[in-house]
């Protein structure tokens, strides 16, 4: 499978509008972070996890020619607000877009995108096929996906494991039952927001402590704030096998 980091920034992205800090003024392309999302190519399928406000730009940048499904971690706007732009794939592929999410996520999508679900049949609207998932393993054709329940302050969020690859964004707590599901994962993606403690995300120190527990061969941190520091500086301070993800990074997983 091939994973492409579409965006690796926290909810405001990096640079932050009107911020003059050294990270936001950095010319290093790795300090330009769109909102967090990944594209996965696996078993002939093309999937995205989350469609944030930068979804259109991300699909154009990576030239994603086909999209078979969208899988949502949770319904915060920095993960959902690009959903309308799946219509490009509705038109090109002449199919409704399968959208996977928990009951709560799907209910929130229906509320936020009421015009899509209204009984008006306005031409040109996105066409979505909402598919409810739970904590149980599910499949998209031949692709087996194990949900990884985590907590994002008080909000339950799902990470997802595909074979040897596990993806957890927006979490500040991983219960033991999910740690068991992470046993043996070779590649882990985990949120590491900033150095200071945060109410709903792991900070760098907490994320590193989780890596110690889970022991993947390779770890990539994502959902990064401008407060974490310059990519080049932070990268030097990380232990072997741990990297900061950046937009456009591609990772091959067996
Ligand atoms: Zn987020
Ligand atoms: Zn800044
Ligand atoms: Zn969130």
């Amino acid at each position: 499978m091939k994973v492409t980091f579409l965006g690796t920034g926290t909810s405001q992205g990096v640079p932050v509008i009107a911020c003059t800090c050294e990270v936001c003024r950095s010319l290093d392309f790795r300090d330009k972070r769109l909102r967090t999302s990944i594209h996965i190519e696996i078993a002939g399928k093309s999937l995205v996890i989350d469609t944030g406000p930068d979804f259109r730009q991300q699909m154009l940048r990576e030239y994603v020619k086909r999209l078979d499904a969208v899988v949502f971690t949770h319904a915060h706007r920095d993960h959902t607000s690009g959903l309308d732009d799946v219509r490009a794939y509705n038109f090109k592929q002449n199919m409704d877009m399968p959208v996977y999410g928990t009951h709560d996520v799907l209910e929130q999508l229906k509320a936020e995108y009421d015009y899509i679900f209204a009984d008006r049949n306005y031409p040109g609207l996105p066409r979505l096929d909402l598919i409810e998932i739970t904590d149980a393993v599910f499949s998209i054709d031949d692709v087996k996906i194990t949900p990884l329940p985590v907590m994002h302050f008080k909000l339950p969020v799902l990470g997802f494991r595909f074979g040897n690859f596990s993806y957890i964004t927006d979490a500040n707590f991983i219960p033991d039952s999910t740690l068991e599901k992470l046993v043996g994962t070779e590649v882990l993606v985990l949120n590491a927001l900033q150095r200071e403690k945060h109410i709903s995300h792991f900070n760098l120190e907490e994320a590193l402590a989780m890596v110690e527990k889970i022991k993947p061969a390779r770890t990539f941190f994502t959902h990064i704030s401008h407060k974490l520091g310059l990519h080049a500086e932070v990268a030097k301070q990380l232990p072997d096998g741990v990297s900061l993800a950046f937009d456009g990074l591609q990772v091959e997983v067996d």
Side-chain angles (χ1 to χ4, degrees):
M1 66 184 289
K2 185 166 89 177
V3 175
T4 304
F5 287 86
L6 299 171
T8 57
T10 188
S11 59
Q12 293 195 86
V14 182
V16 174
I17 292 174
C19 184
T20 57
C21 81
E22 66 168 353
V23 175
C24 290
R25 285 185 294 114
S26 166
L27 298 178
D28 187 337
F29 72 95
R30 297 168 303 176
D31 289 316
K32 312 284 182 207
R33 302 184 187 276
L34 298 178
R35 266 58 69 90
T36 291
S37 170
I38 54 170
H39 177 239
I40 300 181
E41 290 162 86
I42 181 170
K45 294 281 158 196
S46 166
L47 316 172
V48 288
I49 300 187
D50 297 330
T51 57
D54 304 311
F55 174 72
R56 174 178 175 276
Q57 191 181 340
Q58 292 164 335
M59 293 299 95
L60 291 170
R61 187 191 75 210
E62 300 299 335
Y63 198 35
V64 177
K65 293 185 275 308
R66 182 179 173 85
L67 188 63
D68 294 301
V70 175
V71 184
F72 281 112
T73 58
H74 66 307
H76 280 163
R77 293 300 291 261
D78 58 319
H79 297 258
T80 62
S81 68
L83 184 59
D84 190 281
D85 281 315
V86 300
R87 60 212 153 102
Y89 297 104
N90 290 146
F91 304 148
K92 187 173 179 204
Q93 298 168 190
N94 194 26
M95 61 177 259
D96 295 357
M97 181 58 65
V99 171
Y100 294 80
T102 60
H103 177 78
D104 288 358
V105 168
L106 299 186
E107 287 304 309
Q108 197 166 329
L109 292 179
K110 287 182 206 165
E112 283 181 16
Y113 293 95
D114 61 330
Y115 62 95
I116 295 180
F117 302 99
D119 196 14
R120 277 184 235 124
N121 253 331
Y122 189 84
L125 287 177
R127 292 177 359 234
L128 309 177
D129 177 14
L130 300 184
I131 301 161
E132 189 173 317
I133 57 174
T134 63
D135 294 355
V137 175
F138 65 102
S139 293
I140 301 178
D141 292 332
D142 293 339
V143 181
K144 185 184 139 194
I145 305 171
T146 304
L148 303 169
V150 294
M151 292 305 289
H152 183 31
F153 187 42
K154 291 182 178 164
L155 181 73
V157 168
L158 291 181
F160 299 101
R161 180 168 180 171
F162 300 73
N164 285 323
F165 174 77
S166 301
Y167 182 76
I168 296 175
T169 179
D170 293 56
N172 69 328
F173 179 72
I174 303 178
D176 287 343
S177 51
T178 293
L179 287 172
E180 284 166 24
K181 294 177 185 177
L182 284 162
V183 168
T185 195
E186 280 176 29
V187 179
L188 173 68
V189 178
L190 191 59
N191 71 158
L193 184 76
Q194 59 190 26
R195 287 170 193 278
E196 295 155 47
K197 213 162 161 47
H198 190 272
I199 191 166
S200 62
H201 290 279
F202 287 129
N203 66 7
L204 183 60
E205 188 185 333
E206 293 162 338
L208 286 167
M210 294 314 305
V211 171
E212 281 286 301
K213 264 193 184 177
I214 299 165
K215 300 191 192 315
R218 287 184 286 164
T219 301
F220 299 91
F221 289 150
T222 191
H223 211 290
I224 291 166
S225 159
H226 63 151
K227 291 187 195 164
L228 184 64
L230 292 166
H231 182 106
E233 297 296 322
V234 179
K236 278 188 239 166
Q237 300 159 11
L238 297 175
D240 283 351
V242 180
S243 324
L244 297 187
F246 54 86
D247 291 19
L249 173 67
Q250 295 193 326
V251 178
E252 299 273 353
V253 188
D254 294 333

